[in-house]
Each structure stands twice: as structure tokens, then as C-alpha cells.
Amino acid sequence: LVSFRSMFALLLSSAPALLTPIGPLCPFRSAACSLGGHMDGHISRMSSTINPSFAADMARLQLEMQMGQQPDRTQVKELSERMLAAHSEWEALIGRWKLSSDFQTREYLAMTRCQAESSGVGLEDMGQLVRWQAECMQAFARGSVPPMPPAGIDMDRVAANSQTGSGIGTMFAAQVDAEPLDPSLFDSPIVRNEYEALVRDHAALIRLGEKYGGFDGLGKLAFLDQVDVIESRWDTFFARASLLYAVRPAFTEQCNEYMRALGLNDSHGFRTLLDRSHDFMRVEAERERR
């Protein structure tokens, strides 16, 4: 006979995969990533520039060119200026990330790097390409000759991957801020206590991660192991909530929008990206041990 524990484990494994509050979706913020901080300021200014209306205007511009129509030069100039403003914020943000000792900040950097590489363009190359594209648009608006592409970048590969949807700011193009769980889920004291313990442990880990850069290689690896444990606990908790139909539809829809903004098909793609980022950080930690 199949044990109750085995049957429950089977049900959990068959529950729909959901995004959980991990990685860039973590609601707990370190001091470096807190609301109103330097990072939040760069992201807010970048997001206000590269917003849905900007994406729609760029798509309309590309469609007009594909149909052989002459784009409005004034609009092209305005879009190029917005793109350069976003690029400036992006460069400042990446610079701060590289100098930070905070784990959450370094995780953002690792995810952005892995996302860029998955589209066939390195992180530094992506910034160069955005600036080049903006300068080409400005040249069109002036009626002058466009600049040459950045040296050392395979433009054929860039063109082949241009439909993936990833690029500067896409990790912040959509927000997941809807309440994920139905309050009735917490009518059970057991569930409520488990949730509160998970929230408490995750928040404490984020605070500890503010000193991540000061850990030695073994310390960094141990910290990443604890991150894996927290992620597994959230997976289990949300799988149970899903089986009880306690995950709110608004949260699920925002998760889908977020994944589309990242150019990902489903939550498995998001978890793969996050796992690759943590693997990258593990390689860095292993290198410090030598």
C-alpha cells in the first residue's frame, strides 16, 4: 500500500508550478535594496522611462519601418533620448551592483548577467548595444549617417536573438505586488505558524546577507545552501496552498506578466534562470577558496 506521506508528496509534485517570493520577487529587502535607497531610485527612474508606452511606441516604430513607411523624426528623437536616459541609469545601477557586498544586490547582478547571456549578448555588450541603437535613432532624426556597430560584437547573433524580449530593464518591467494567498488559508494555527516561521527565517537570512561580501569562500557557499533551503520551504508551502485553491488569481496573472517581461515561458524558466545565477555565485565562491 502507498503510504499517506507518499501520496501527499505525489500531490505536491503534481501541483501547478508557481512563482514564490524568492530572488527578485523577495518581499524582504536588505538595506542596499530597500525602498527609497540608491538601487530603488535607479530602478524607479529606469522603469518610468522604459514603461509599457515606451515598448508600444518602439513596436509601432519598428512596424512602420517594416512596412516601408517613414517614421516621424521628432518621435524617433524623443524615443532615443528616453533610451539614453535609461542607459545612463542602467550603467550607474550596474556599477553599484558590482561594488556591493550585499547578497541580494549581487543576486540581482548575477541574474541580469545570466539573462543577458541567455539572449546571446554579454552584460557589458548589452549596454553598448542599447547606446548604439539610441545613437542610430538620433542620427536618423538628424538625417545624418548612423554610427558603426560596437566592435567585437556578433551582430548576426544579436539579430537572431532580438525577439527574446530580454534587455535593459526587463527584470523590472513588470511588478508582482498582489497578495499571493487567500487569508482563509491562515485560519489554521498550524499553517499560520509555519508561514510566520518561514517569513521570519527568510527575513533574517536577507539581513545576514548584507555581510555576504565579507564572508570567505566557504561562508559564501554555506550561505547559498541556506538560500536553497528557504527556496525549498517556499516551494512546499505554495504547493500546499495551490492544492487548497488558496493562491489568488491576481497573483498568478501578475506572475505570468512578469515572466513574459523576462521572455520566459513559465515558472520553470524563472527558476532555471535563478538557479543559473546561484551557480554562477557558487563558482565565484569556489574560486575564492583556491
Side-chain angles (χ1 to χ4, degrees), residues 87-254:
H87 174 267
S88 177
E89 295 293 345
W90 171 260
E91 291 292 325
L93 181 63
I94 292 298
R96 285 187 177 275
W97 282 354
K98 289 180 177 179
L99 295 174
S100 178
S101 63
D102 173 56
F103 170 79
Q104 207 165 40
T105 303
R106 291 192 178 191
E107 185 182 53
Y108 271 111
L109 177 60
M111 283 196 74
T112 305
R113 187 180 297 280
C114 289
Q115 184 196 12
E117 291 174 352
S118 67
S119 66
V121 183
L123 182 62
E124 287 73 21
D125 291 344
M126 181 181 290
Q128 293 185 56
L129 283 169
V130 170
R131 184 170 188 83
W132 171 72
Q133 184 178 3
E135 290 174 347
C136 286
M137 293 168 66
Q138 289 191 328
F140 172 83
R142 293 192 304 267
S144 59
V145 178
M148 294 292 292
I153 298 179
D154 187 344
M155 298 303 294
D156 291 335
R157 188 177 183 186
V158 171
N161 290 280
S162 61
Q163 302 302 317
T164 60
S166 60
I168 283 184
T170 52
M171 193 174 297
F172 319 107
Q175 299 296 319
V176 179
D177 52 14
E179 286 294 329
L181 302 170
D182 192 291
S184 63
L185 181 67
F186 304 108
D187 290 343
S188 165
I190 295 176
V191 175
R192 185 170 61 252
N193 291 339
E194 180 185 1
Y195 177 77
E196 290 174 352
L198 185 47
V199 166
R200 186 168 56 250
D201 293 346
H202 196 172
L205 189 64
I206 294 300
R207 289 194 298 272
L208 178 62
E210 293 177 353
K211 303 175 183 178
Y212 179 84
F215 300 161
D216 60 17
L218 283 174
K220 288 184 173 71
L221 291 171
F223 185 88
L224 287 164
D225 288 342
Q226 290 302 307
V227 171
D228 288 345
V229 170
I230 286 290
E231 290 179 357
S232 296
R233 289 170 63 186
W234 277 120
D235 287 342
T236 300
F237 189 89
F238 267 73
R240 290 171 179 163
S242 178
L243 291 173
L244 296 172
Y245 302 100
V247 178
R248 291 184 163 182
F251 173 75
T252 302
E253 179 55 33
Q254 280 196 353

Side-chain angles (χ1 to χ4, degrees), residues 70-84:
Q70 181 82 343
D72 180 82
R73 294 181 184 274
T74 301
Q75 184 186 29
V76 171
K77 183 175 184 296
E78 189 268 335
L79 288 173
S80 70
E81 290 173 348
R82 291 170 66 183
M83 188 178 292
L84 285 174

